Structures are given as C-alpha cells and as structure tokens.
Amino acid sequence: MGQTPRLFVISGPSGAGKGTLLARVRKRHPNLGLAVSATTREPRPGEVDGVSYHFLDEEEFSRRVRAGEFLEWANVHGHRYGTLKGDVDALLASGTSVILEIDVQGALNVLRLMPDAVLIFIEPPSLEELERRLRQRGTEDEGQLRLRLRNARSELELADKYDERIVNDDVDAASDRLLQIIRSYEG
Ligand SMILES: Nc1ncnc2c1ncn2[C@@H]1O[C@H](COP(=O)(O)OP(=O)(O)OP(=O)(O)O)[C@@H](O)[C@H]1O
Ligand SMILES: Nc1nc2c(ncn2[C@@H]2O[C@H](COP(=O)(O)O)[C@@H](O)[C@H]2O)c(=O)[nH]1
C-alpha cells in the first residue's frame, strides 16, 4: 500500500527558516513535491529561474492571474507571489504529496479551496533572533528588512489558525519534527 498524497502548506515570517527546513526534509523525503512559485520580485544572486521561482514581470504575472493559472496569489512584502495551479494538480494526480512554502494570506486561501490541506507554521524563537537571521542572510536591503520584520508581527498572530506549529530553534530538532509531522499525515 502506498502513502496517501497530501497537500502541505508551510508558512511563517521571512527568516524563520522555512526554506532551510524544507531543504533538509526533502533530502530525507525525496518524493515530496515542491511547487515552484511565481514572483514579481527580482532574483537574488544565485537564484535560478524555474528552480527558486518563476521570475515574472508585472505584465506576465497579471496575464496569468487573468488566465486563472494561480491556485492562490498575494501581495507579500511589496511584491506579488503565486502558486501555479497546474503544477500542484499534476503532482497530486501522480500520487505525490506536495508542499507549498507560502505566506499566511495564501495559506488561508488554499485552505478555503482545499480543506484537506495541512497547514504548518514555522516560528522563530524570538523576534530578536528573526532579525539576526535576516541580517546574517544578507539578502535584503535595510528598508526591505524592516518591512519583513514589521510584517512578522501580524503573521505570528495567525499562527493559531494552523494545524501544526514548530519553533525553529535548533535546526536539527525542527527539521526532524517537520518530517515527523509530514509522515504522520501521509499515514
Ligand atoms: N535553526 C536555525 N538556527 C540558526 N539559523 C537558522 C536556523 N534556521 C535557518 N537559519 C538561517 O536563517 C536564515 C533564514 O532562513 P531561511 O532563508 O530558510 O528563511 P525563510 O523562512 O525561508 O525566509 P523567506 O521567507 O524570506 O524565504 C538563513 O540564513 C538560514 O541559514
Ligand atoms: N502567497 C504566496 N506567498 C509566497 C509564495 N511564494 C513565496 N511566498 C512568500 O513570500 C515570502 C518572501 O519570499 P522571499 O523568497 O522573497 O524571501 C516568503 O516568506 C513566502 O511566505 C506564493 O506562491 N504565494
């Protein structure tokens, strides 16, 4: 008997460590499909189009919104980000569980459309540690960093709407817990 494919949604403030935990979990669960989001933000050094994100200009993003290609999309930290419906449907239809790394607005929209989705919230140990991680990552300018820290407060207020919460303090413990949660829902 195979596992039941599930749709997982992971959210949390920018810098909480979602991408870090997902990369670790996917090494240990290679069949977990990751839907590549689209965004209008500029690529960071080292990011690859079609792998990190589908990097779209505003016009192309709007065209895809009008064409109904997005399962969800939202304005996040001053840019648009969206999940392409076709990618998610194809993975689920092939029997593969899928994980979306998206913001809180997107997560709650996905839950409305797909009530069986499992929502997992990643919390930083503190706002001070969140700031330290974002500064150490060094990918945001000061204005963007401040915006992300401001938005973190309202995102954290929605954590109780999620099925599961993980505090990403020790990265090994947090990635073990994320994998354990995913396996438990796959049955
Ligand atoms: N448990 C941890 N302890 C210390 N540093 C961590 C931990 N987890 C992640 N980091 C570091 O914190 C920074 C932010 O992590 P990451 O990029 O994974 O965050 P994110 O939540 O995916 O952010 P974004 O939403 O902006 O994509 C990275 O430099 C990462 O190496
Ligand atoms: N609603 C959506 N939010 C998304 C999607 N992809 C990413 N995100 C969120 O954006 C922030 C910032 O990402 P960054 O790469 O610029 O640091 C991230 O925290 C995600 O929560 C999406 O498809 N839909």
Side-chain angles (χ1 to χ4, degrees), residues 21-153:
L21 298 182
L22 262 185
R24 285 169 162 253
V25 162
R26 291 186 74 229
K27 280 195 185 137
R28 294 161 68 190
H29 187 337
N31 291 333
L32 187 61
L34 181 67
V36 177
S37 293
T39 182
T40 57
R41 84 152 163 73
E42 290 296 313
R44 296 174 184 142
E47 285 187 328
V48 178
D49 189 25
V51 178
S52 317
Y53 281 105
H54 299 289
F55 293 100
L56 307 181
D57 62 23
E58 292 290 347
E59 196 181 329
E60 176 61 11
F61 198 100
S62 297
R63 189 194 68 73
R64 292 186 189 218
V65 171
R66 286 194 301 274
E69 290 186 25
F70 288 112
L71 174 62
E72 64 75 33
W73 69 271
N75 279 301
V76 188
H77 315 315
H79 302 284
R80 287 192 286 176
Y81 295 79
T83 308
L84 291 161
K85 192 173 179 327
D87 291 359
V88 176
D89 289 348
L91 284 163
L92 289 174
S94 72
T96 305
S97 288
V98 181
I99 193 153
L100 309 178
E101 185 194 333
I102 64 178
D103 88 309
V104 288
Q105 312 165 71
L108 298 177
N109 285 335
V110 168
L111 186 62
R112 275 189 279 276
L113 295 167
M114 302 172 90
D116 289 340
V118 180
L119 269 52
I120 306 170
F121 195 89
I122 307 298
E123 297 175 65
S126 66
L127 287 171
E128 291 73 25
E129 173 62 10
L130 186 70
E131 178 166 357
R132 194 198 64 75
R133 286 183 192 174
L134 275 178
R135 289 194 183 283
Q136 163 260 317
R137 190 172 74 182
T139 48
E140 267 60 49
D141 64 25
E142 187 62 23
Q144 180 63 213
L145 192 141
R146 295 249 144 251
L147 176 63
R148 287 174 183 235
L149 289 173
R150 262 202 315 278
N151 291 342
R153 293 171 191 275

